[in-house]
Amino acid sequence: MSFPPSGRFPRKPIPRNRPSLFPNLLVVLLPLLLSFQGDVRGFAQEAPTALAKPVLLFASTPDPESAAELLNPEQIRQARGEGVAALDIMESTDPYQQSEWRFRFKEGFLKDWDRLVLAIDHADEGAGVIRPLLPRDNHPSGEWSEPTRRVSFTRLNTHQLRRALFEFEVPALEWVAPGLTHLRISGLQGLVSIWAYPQLPEAEWKEAEDSVPIQVEPLVRLERPMEITCTVGIEDIGNPPSLANSLANVREYVPLARLLGFTSVECFVRWDMLEPREREFDFSHYDQIVEAIRARGLRWFPNLVITSGYSLPSWYYESAENTGLVCLEHGQANDVPSIWNTANRRHVSRVLEAFGKRYEGKGILEAVRLGPSGNFGEAQFPAGAGSVLGYQGRKMHAHIGWWAGDPLARESFGRFLARRYGSIERLGEAWGEPFASFEEIAPRLPETYRTKRARLDMTAWYTDSMSEWCAFWAEEARKALPNTRIYQSSGGWGFRESGTDFSSQAESMKKVSGGIRLTNETDSFEQNIYATRLAATAARLYDIALGSEPAGYHSARGTVARFYNAITANVDNLYTRHGVLFSDPLSIRNWLRDYPLLDLRADPLVEVAIYYPETSNQLDDSGFRHLYAWGFNARAAEIRRRVDIDFLDERLIRAGFLDRYKVLVFCWGNILEADVLETLNRWIHAGGTVICPSYPRGAYETVDGEATFFRSWARGDTGSGAFYRFKGDMEPISLYGDFVKQVLLDDPRLSRWTQTALRIGHPERVHLSVLENGRLVMLNYRDQEAQIEFPWNESETLPAYSIQMKQLR
């Protein structure tokens, strides 16, 4: 069998006369290696006598004795360089389908083996993770098993011959069954040979570990540095989590992270691992991890998860001091400590202080992420994900809901109402029901309140309580870490049960010169807009650092969209999980292609804002509770398809930021607080433009039903400004989007660059942003190329899932 050349390998030749990687094994490789182009002197050593004879499965130079058949030779190409013969596999362009080597074993050599060790020799070029899989059953589309042990499995661009080792438990299969693939390997290029062993001595595994480079040269660098952060498999589950596994993953993944341009490693830091006994701090676990990271040239970005359920030390959890959150829906407790328990504040202060004393002076911290509450340390109440992450990893009661049922929450609510109303009679009048005292009032589900004001009182207290708890955390972190950037973890998508107030969290981080990390990006570009834009807007307006993080999985195309958001939002921190990038060759190619564009990130030129209906959000569930519902999100996405936008909620409007914009577009919600409507009225009369949809029908009014301002705008009383109300149907929502675009095109106050962007012709799923320096940033988020037509009779073609930039005239 022969293969055509790939044209890829190598950029640098594999060195001749290189030292042996595995001197005890290479006597069995010698016949194969002698067939390669190049000198292999130094490889011949005595073979181990205690091991069964190894089996050659496959070699880049055909060998009639090889025990495996390559099932997809049409995808294989020669990658021949000086000193070694190697094979490449054609790279996939499908974001959801990786290229894989597929083999079938020719003979049943595994029938008497309990374990299988694969030794994959490869010419190490490029970056990635080699991932072999064995079938678990005889079904052609059945399940596949991962190796139980693996060493030296990352591709680190060393331009040397390297060996990856993988150990499997041999499944009980009919290995001679027809039509079955026995071995799949992804992430592998430069294949030289694959050998099978029933076992290997520990010395060989240790030699493989030692062969992994400690220092590598990055493939990409920035001239304008920023914090680029990833996980590397440092374990955070277990009692205690395995330090050995964490250090092994650091050994393998940190060099790959550095190769890809990452600057820091993130992991959870658990309270129980820092303070296993009260006032007895033990940093030995994290000290070893930190030193392993430092030795490999990266810095540390710890996530201080102190007051989440799974991180609690037993001495605290079992004490009378501990009170967990309780949901109003079921009256069941959660392991996450109540944010209304003021006794917890001393613990937060103590632990943060001890952490700061231990690590801030070591020069290892790139930044610190705060973990005040939530399932994973988010600045929010518990939600549905991570229901197993209770105390010591046990399952706990967790869901999206109202976590305000514990006794301390009830006491806090009563004090809040007493401060707000002064007398129980005034409260009864506002709520439409009588009470004898503030002490008898307990939080209840918002839909059970009789008046809008009563519901807003409950939701405001609930949300403000979380904001105040997070602000306290930030203040204590700044005391403990005066010279380190700190980020609050802002997640969710705006549903009020989470307690996340994006603009409030941004405002509080401004006071401590901190930032916010958005933990809610996804593979959907448009969802990234409506889920993150309020927080991103607030971060820019308050002039604080901004970070972005995927909520979970993202594909290779999501990698492109995340770079686009990072560039056009001018982020300071870009984070991803190693599991969604390192093992995806197309994601890595997109990452390396678009990484240099981060040097061109800048603040966007945004003249159009969308009103974020926070008051309506607290009054009903139609706006944000259901992520995929037909409401605000769908309409906001429709506007973004036509023009770049920011989001403004009541807090940002009250802070005076509305004056920075020329147009305010409403998408959902028609109830605002009176002072916000008054601010809007002044802004319109000073020259602002308001655009409203046809639904909700009727007037835009205050919580108390006052609609004077709206009616005056509808009559034309807008001073120097303008008011437009769409009169057509709201389905399809593109009708409203087209209406808004036409109003914008006719608005002479918009800048030349914004007007130009509005006039650029492009197909759907192509998105445009204009930076303040006049650079147009274009994203083609389609699986086919896109033709862009500029107003000055010029066109460009954007490849599928790509970013391009152009200076506007």
Side-chain angles (χ1 to χ4, degrees):
M1 182 185 300
S2 62
F3 303 99
S6 70
R8 179 199 67 87
F9 172 83
R11 290 189 295 273
K12 295 182 180 179
I14 301 299
R16 301 163 72 96
N17 300 318
R18 59 178 305 277
S20 168
L21 292 177
F22 303 97
N24 291 332
L25 295 176
L26 284 169
V27 65
V28 298
L29 289 176
L30 185 59
L32 173 65
L33 291 169
L34 286 174
S35 68
F36 294 165
Q37 300 176 9
D39 193 337
V40 292
R41 288 173 294 177
F43 278 86
Q45 302 285 338
E46 290 187 358
T49 58
L51 299 181
K53 182 180 178 180
V55 176
L56 174 64
L57 295 181
F58 182 79
S60 58
T61 300
D63 189 316
E65 296 185 3
S66 61
E69 173 191 2
L70 178 64
L71 299 180
N72 54 331
E74 73 284 354
Q75 297 181 24
I76 308 305
R77 300 290 184 266
Q78 294 180 16
R80 191 176 298 275
E82 180 185 354
V84 68
L87 299 176
D88 281 345
I89 189 169
M90 297 174 62
E91 297 175 324
S92 173
T93 58
D94 185 341
Y96 302 105
Q97 184 67 48
Q98 294 188 25
S99 297
E100 292 182 324
W101 304 76
R102 298 197 304 273
F103 298 95
R104 176 176 172 79
F105 301 149
K106 294 179 182 179
E107 56 187 73
F109 67 89
L110 287 177
K111 62 181 179 181
D112 297 324
W113 290 15
D114 294 326
R115 308 194 73 79
L116 165 67
V117 177
L118 289 179
I120 300 176
D121 298 311
H122 62 103
D124 184 23
E125 285 273 325
V129 171
I130 301 172
R131 184 185 180 214
L133 300 172
L134 289 185
R136 290 183 178 176
D137 53 49
N138 286 103
H139 197 284
S141 58
E143 296 183 348
W144 293 80
S145 60
E146 300 273 357
T148 58
R149 186 178 185 182
R150 54 183 183 163
V151 169
S152 187
F153 54 85
T154 51
R155 292 165 49 216
L156 298 174
N157 202 47
T158 61
H159 312 296
Q160 295 183 2
L161 182 66
R162 293 184 58 211
R163 166 166 282 196
L165 296 181
F166 305 90
E167 186 175 56
F168 291 87
E169 295 179 355
V170 176
L173 299 181
E174 293 293 333
W175 292 100
V176 296
L180 186 66
T181 298
H182 293 149
L183 175 63
R184 296 162 49 197
I185 307 175
S186 61
L188 173 63
Q189 298 288 5
L191 173 60
V192 173
S193 61
I194 306 175
W195 292 82
Y197 300 83
Q199 61 176 321
L200 282 180
E202 282 302 311
E204 303 296 342
W205 289 97
K206 181 62 167 62
E207 189 169 1
E209 292 177 3
D210 293 342
S211 75
V212 179
I214 293 178
Q215 288 285 346
V216 299
E217 186 66 21
L219 290 170
V220 284
R221 295 180 185 270
L222 293 179
E223 295 180 5
R224 293 179 55 216
M226 59 183 289
E227 301 151 359
I228 304 181
T229 312
C230 67
T231 59
V232 293
I234 296 170
E235 295 198 358
D236 46 58
I237 305 301
N239 300 295
S242 171
L243 177 60
N245 289 348
S246 294
L247 292 175
N249 286 332
V250 167
R251 179 194 68 231
E252 298 285 345
Y253 285 124
V254 171
L256 180 55
R258 179 171 165 82
L259 186 70
L260 293 174
F262 286 92
T263 61
S264 58
V265 169
E266 180 167 316
C267 71
F268 289 164
V269 173
R270 289 171 26 177
W271 182 10
D272 61 337
M273 296 299 296
L274 293 178
E275 193 180 16
R277 292 164 297 281
E278 187 171 11
R279 298 191 181 279
E280 294 183 19
F281 288 96
D282 181 357
F283 299 99
S284 58
H285 180 87
Y286 294 108
D287 281 352
Q288 295 180 68
I289 291 171
V290 164
E291 289 310 309
I293 293 169
R294 185 203 299 273
R296 289 159 177 83
L298 294 190
R299 300 177 74 190
W300 194 27
F301 200 128
N303 184 354
L304 305 183
V305 184
I306 298 174
T307 44
S308 284
Y310 80 97
S311 71
L312 301 178
S314 57
W315 62 263
Y316 170 81
Y317 182 82
E318 296 167 359
S319 72
E321 193 174 30
N322 179 33
T323 299
L325 292 167
V326 176
C327 72
L328 295 179
E329 290 82 357
H330 313 103
Q332 292 191 38
N334 182 284
D335 286 344
V336 177
S338 171
I339 65 171
W340 294 283
N341 186 355
T342 56
N344 286 338
R345 296 196 169 210
R346 70 179 180 90
H347 294 304
V348 171
S349 301
R350 286 190 312 100
V351 177
L352 290 176
E353 180 183 15
F355 182 88
K357 287 181 178 179
R358 182 69 174 186
Y359 292 111
E360 187 172 53
K362 292 181 178 292
I364 188 65
L365 297 176
E366 181 173 63
V368 166
R369 180 174 162 191
L370 307 183
S373 190
N375 298 11
F376 303 98
E378 301 92 343
Q380 65 178 55
F381 290 99
S387 60
V388 299
L389 292 183
Y391 172 62
Q392 294 191 344
R394 72 184 186 186
K395 291 185 177 180
M396 67 178 181
H397 184 66
H399 55 81
I400 293 177
W402 298 93
W403 295 91
D406 67 81
L408 300 174
R410 177 171 179 158
E411 293 175 10
S412 172
F413 190 43
R415 292 193 299 269
F416 167 84
L417 295 175
R419 290 193 303 270
R420 173 159 289 197
Y421 287 99
S423 70
I424 196 67
E425 292 77 18
R426 288 185 59 198
L427 180 141
E429 181 180 351
W431 283 27
E433 51 186 312
F435 296 96
S437 68
F438 290 109
E439 289 73 22
E440 73 174 278
I441 303 174
R444 61 184 197 240
L445 292 174
E447 57 267 26
T448 65
Y449 290 99
R450 296 182 183 180
T451 66
K452 292 185 178 69
R453 183 55 63 193
R455 175 165 178 158
L456 285 174
D457 284 340
M458 186 274 177
T459 57
W461 160 79
Y462 182 80
T463 304
D464 290 349
S465 294
M466 179 57 72
S467 296
E468 291 166 5
W469 173 245
C470 294
F472 163 77
W473 252 79
E475 292 164 1
E476 295 304 296
R478 178 51 70 219
K479 295 175 186 175
L481 298 156
N483 303 308
T484 301
R485 179 173 280 176
I486 55 177
Y487 285 89
Q488 197 68 268
S489 303
S490 297
W493 58 86
F495 59 94
R496 191 42 46 216
E497 294 94 325
S498 72
T500 303
D501 187 329
F502 293 117
S503 62
S504 176
Q505 290 182 8
E507 183 182 37
S508 68
M509 295 308 289
K510 171 70 173 179
K511 298 174 183 177
V512 296
S513 301
I516 54 175
R517 162 84 74 78
L518 309 183
T519 65
N520 47 7
E521 285 197 324
T522 73
D523 230 27
S524 166
F525 172 80
E526 293 189 343
Q527 188 177 121
N528 286 349
I529 294 299
Y530 53 69
T532 70
R533 189 48 56 103
L534 176 60
T537 300
R540 189 170 69 255
L541 294 178
Y542 284 118
D543 193 24
I544 64 172
L546 176 65
S548 66
E549 171 184 329
Y553 165 80
H554 67 75
S555 69
R557 71 189 189 108
T559 299
V560 180
R562 296 197 64 225
F563 270 113
Y564 183 84
N565 278 346
I567 294 163
T568 58
N570 198 12
V571 304
D572 302 274
N573 171 230
L574 181 65
Y575 162 93
T576 195
R577 295 173 176 84
H578 69 286
V580 300
L581 176 64
F582 292 2
S583 298
D584 186 341
L586 181 55
S587 277
I588 288 179
R589 296 205 307 275
N590 289 344
W591 177 276
L592 294 174
R593 179 195 66 189
D594 294 338
Y595 184 102
L597 296 177
L598 292 172
D599 269 332
L600 302 178
R601 66 193 186 277
D603 284 343
L605 172 65
V606 182
E607 299 177 289
V608 179
I610 289 179
Y611 169 71
Y612 189 90
E614 184 52 50
T615 298
S616 294
N617 181 32
Q618 297 195 41
L619 287 173
D620 63 56
D621 293 334
S622 63
F624 298 102
R625 171 60 180 83
H626 305 287
L627 179 61
Y628 299 103
W630 185 89
F632 174 86
N633 291 341
R635 298 185 190 185
E638 193 68 31
I639 304 305
R640 177 60 185 90
R641 292 167 189 163
R642 291 156 176 81
V643 66
D644 203 356
I645 45 87
D646 279 341
F647 286 174
L648 294 180
D649 67 359
E650 281 92 335
R651 175 174 282 98
L652 297 178
I653 291 174
R654 289 183 178 115
F657 292 122
L658 180 59
D659 292 339
R660 300 191 182 193
Y661 301 87
K662 297 176 181 178
V663 179
L664 184 68
V665 180
F666 282 76
C667 289
W668 194 260
N670 65 333
I671 299 177
L672 298 81
E673 291 287 7
D675 65 314
V676 175
L677 272 172
E678 290 176 3
T679 300
L680 281 179
N681 186 60
R682 290 193 297 270
W683 177 78
I684 290 175
H685 278 76
T689 296
V690 167
I691 307 173
C692 294
S694 56
Y695 185 88
R697 306 289 181 186
Y700 283 60
E701 59 188 25
T702 69
V703 177
D704 299 321
E706 175 60 50
T708 301
F709 289 130
F710 176 86
R711 294 192 179 97
S712 68
W713 303 339
R715 292 194 304 266
D717 183 9
T718 58
S720 301
F723 174 78
Y724 298 89
R725 185 152 200 194
F726 179 56
K727 298 179 181 180
D729 293 329
M730 290 309 297
E731 305 92 1
I733 56 177
S734 58
L735 295 174
Y736 184 52
D738 292 340
F739 175 78
V740 171
K741 179 177 180 178
Q742 190 57 55
V743 172
L744 298 178
L745 286 169
D746 294 338
D747 191 334
R749 298 177 310 113
L750 293 178
S751 70
R752 172 169 51 89
W753 286 338
T754 298
Q755 288 284 358
T756 297
L758 284 164
R759 288 173 165 79
I760 293 173
H762 57 81
E764 291 185 353
R765 299 189 301 283
V766 171
H767 304 277
L768 309 179
S769 291
V770 181
L771 305 182
E772 286 187 340
N773 55 21
R775 183 175 284 122
L776 176 69
V777 190
M778 300 170 283
L779 169 67
N780 179 13
Y781 210 52
R782 298 153 41 97
D783 59 4
Q784 53 191 301
E785 64 181 25
Q787 193 75 8
I788 311 299
E789 303 291 341
F790 298 103
W792 51 87
N793 297 322
E794 182 181 325
S795 64
E796 285 189 12
T797 301
L798 270 63
Y801 300 119
S802 70
I803 302 169
Q804 287 191 18
M805 296 188 180
K806 187 179 187 67
Q807 184 65 42
L808 290 179
R809 299 178 177 180

